[in-house]
Amino acid sequence: MRSFLESLYYDYIIPEQQLIPKDPQYRQLSRELSEATMAWKEKLSSEEFGELEALIDLQQQIQGMEMAAAFARGFRLGAGLMIEVFSRDRA
């Protein structure tokens, strides 16, 4: 079995691919989004729908950047907490 550090080094750990919310509403909202997207695809011309898809792609890129920043911040906070916990005098 690989160590955590080896898995991290070789990119076997990809947090964004393992992120599936456990909120019970997640699947329902995902289904609603898919249905709404299909409805817009039927309403718009192919060119207009392409523009809408480009807009959605931009939003997803922004969300990806926000998620990466939140992950890094959370990791730093957790690491800082561990450093403090282990560096305190054990009196």
Side-chain angles (χ1 to χ4, degrees):
M1 185 167 168
R2 289 186 175 90
S3 73
F4 180 76
L5 289 176
E6 286 176 318
S7 294
L8 190 59
Y9 178 79
Y10 289 109
D11 279 339
Y12 297 130
I13 298 173
I14 305 170
E16 68 185 35
Q17 290 180 354
Q18 298 169 345
L19 181 66
I20 299 175
K22 293 183 174 150
D23 188 313
Q25 287 187 305
Y26 175 77
R27 289 192 194 275
Q28 176 62 32
L29 291 173
S30 181
R31 192 175 309 114
E32 288 177 25
L33 177 61
S34 180
E35 291 170 1
T37 301
M38 289 297 110
W40 280 106
K41 187 173 187 175
E42 292 174 11
K43 291 178 186 178
L44 301 174
S45 70
S46 60
E47 183 180 322
E48 290 171 327
F49 187 71
E51 291 175 10
L52 178 60
E53 284 185 309
L55 180 65
I56 292 168
D57 288 344
L58 287 173
Q59 180 64 38
Q60 288 175 338
Q61 289 177 28
I62 290 169
Q63 286 175 335
M65 291 176 185
E66 291 170 345
M67 287 176 57
F71 174 82
R73 179 67 179 144
F75 190 90
R76 283 187 199 98
L77 287 170
L81 179 64
M82 295 306 296
I83 289 169
E84 185 174 323
V85 166
F86 288 113
S87 67
R88 294 264 184 216
D89 291 330
R90 299 182 191 243

